[in-house]
Amino acid sequence: MRRFGAWVVALALLLPVGTAAAKGELSVAVELQPGPRSAQLGPRFQPISSSVSLKAGGGAPGGGSDHRGGTLPFGPAGSAPRRFVVARTKAGEAYDQLVIDLNGDGSLDDETPLPARMQSSGQTIWSTWNFVVKVDHGAKGKPQIEDHPFRAYIAVSSKTARPDSFNYTSQGFRFGRVTIVEKLYDIVLTDRNNDARYGPGDAWTIQSASAGGRPEMGEAHDVKDIASAGSRRWQLVLRGTGGRHAVVAEPGAAIGAAPAAAPPASGAHAEDRALPRSESPLAFVDTVEAARAAAAKIAGAWFLSFESDGNADSRSMREIVYTAKAATDGAGGLSCARIDADASKDLVAAHNVKKVPTGILFDPEGKEVARFEGYLSVENFGLFLGAVNPWLEPADVEPDIRGKNRSRHRGVVKKRIAYLEDNKHQGLLVDRVKDLGLQKNRAARDALMKFATGRKSKEYVTAAFFALAKIGGKTAIEFLCSSRALNSKDFLVAQQAAHALGAAMDARGVDALLGVLGKRGTKIEVLSASCLALARSAPQDERVIKAVFEHSKHAKDTVRAGAAEALGYLKSAEGLERLKVMLTSDANTRVRAAAALGIGHTMHAELIPVLRKAIADDKAHTVRTSALAAIRELQGEKQDTVRR
């Protein structure tokens, strides 16, 4: 199971507060943590850049010439503006140095000059910087220093030109999790105002917890506005401007005067109840024969759960353990049967069941390998499933398989390939390939890699690639990057592998994708798909940003279109500007349509007027249709952005 980084906060349980409980109105305190600003886990949302005017003068450490500067309104109300200066390190060259008051002491003398990352786009020269300002959000005498990451840029038309404005964008976000009526939700908060403080005007969202560990921004709401989740309406009440402490509450709920840590879990099996719930709990059939037959089709393991409706531990296993995300992630491909112990005395005797609940695990050959009695915690249930490695081993875990286990594993893989190939109906075979992708275990992964290798049907290969992307893990990504996939001599295979890598959104594929972009002779279809895959996999990687920008100026329309859509996934203010230019001025209809789709991927609802203008002004039906789709995406309607 994928694990969140250390920055993910402990789960908080919802409890009624004060008199609000009687009315069914709920509130919960939530501790928010800074998200990793340069990692894949960042939400695909960033605010539109703010800007300040630049004025001549104002020297700074580091020398340089032609200084221009200004101040930035960072921090809580009443904070002193932060002074900054940009300069040329060489006369006659573009501006490439920034000195800024990062620590807030009012002086530039103790700051180190920051070099710019230089880029050009057409006639425009961009100078870009990343920096982190420290801001005190505490009360007088009680400092609370928080880091606020920013990206800034200036743009000029020539090396000798002087910039008129300094543009800057917040790169940070806050993230927390709450449990509402036994369902886990993500809370994401971003500094949309670009002022290094959190409050009205900034954006927040509440939505079902992301299964893959990536907090998504979803539908953005102003902090002062109401959001909906779990058939209820919620408001976010911030405690202070640092974005660390908040209360999520139904309108009208008693909130209390001070932030409080979430109460500890209570009641039977409280720790397990607090764990994330799965969107797809373990599925049970009601007979041993059905479970055994389902397992035989894929040479998989199977599990019997003997239960009684009148037994509290049986109910807890059903409601808590078998619905936990950790349990379902570890049980991919497991065939399960629930047996009513009261009505099945013959099976109880045959399997020597002494009490309920009892769980019995069988390997693919039908041999009992493990059993438990009574309530089994979620963690221990995961260890229990490990008794039939490698068939239930997560695909990203690679224990050494030796001796009999190696032979058995190969046999299981062979049977799963046979399971795929014994049905010649194209649609059903593709469905079986997809089913293996949902199992997310090592045996399914190895079967899919063998199935995809050298197969003539591009539809089957594509389905296998996307199933491998869903399984994920180091070995699957390496396969998708190999000569059997992304680096295949068959450009159609390579193109679909690139699209699958985009669906996987795994940064481990970045080096191979960049290599394809830089390789001479790469087909334009592969270049286009690789741009999209890179932007989806590592939207903050400087190498990716540079490569996508370069290909947005490619002479071939197909490549330019792929890069245009890819720009929408990048965490780049320059990318937004480039998209607007491409939407309005590119000569190719397909490129303009892709730029519209790219704007939809940015999650910047503020750009809807730009898209509406394109619908009104552009004569091409394709562009107007794409702009409409982008508007729907920005308004929260999910779009299928993955190529197949």
Side-chain angles (χ1 to χ4, degrees), residues 177-196:
R177 290 197 146 174
V178 293
T179 302
I180 301 174
V181 194
E182 296 191 358
K183 185 173 181 180
L184 196 64
Y185 289 88
D186 287 345
I187 308 295
V188 183
L189 173 67
T190 66
D191 180 16
R192 185 163 58 184
N193 286 333
N194 300 316
D195 54 8

Side-chain angles (χ1 to χ4, degrees), residues 96-119:
D96 60 354
Q97 180 177 282
L98 167 69
V99 182
I100 181 171
D101 180 13
L102 298 177
N103 58 21
D105 64 357
S107 172
L108 298 182
D109 294 338
D110 56 349
E111 301 291 351
T112 301
L114 304 175
R117 179 173 63 85
M118 306 301 297
Q119 281 184 307

Side-chain angles (χ1 to χ4, degrees), residues 61 64 85 97 99 111 117 306 318 329-330 343 351 386-387 500 514 559 571 574 621:
V85 172
Q97 180 177 282
V99 182
E111 301 291 351
R117 179 173 63 85
F306 288 85
R318 285 200 302 266
D329 282 354
H351 291 282
L514 288 171
V559 180
K571 302 288 186 66
E574 302 98 304
H621 176 72

Side-chain angles (χ1 to χ4, degrees), residues 3-11 30-44 172-177 186-189 210 212-216 243-244 540 571:
R3 299 183 183 275
F4 291 106
W7 57 275
V8 177
V9 298
L11 303 178
V30 57
E31 299 296 311
L32 300 168
Q33 297 292 335
R37 55 184 174 271
S38 61
Q40 293 185 80
L41 294 177
R44 298 195 185 282
F173 70 99
R174 298 289 194 255
F175 173 75
R177 290 197 146 174
D186 287 345
I187 308 295
V188 183
L189 173 67
S210 54
R214 180 200 302 275
E216 296 290 351
R244 291 285 194 149
Q540 291 181 324
K571 302 288 186 66

Side-chain angles (χ1 to χ4, degrees), residues 329-345:
D329 282 354
L334 183 67
S335 298
C336 306
R338 177 174 289 126
I339 308 300
D340 184 347
D342 298 325
S344 306
K345 299 299 184 183

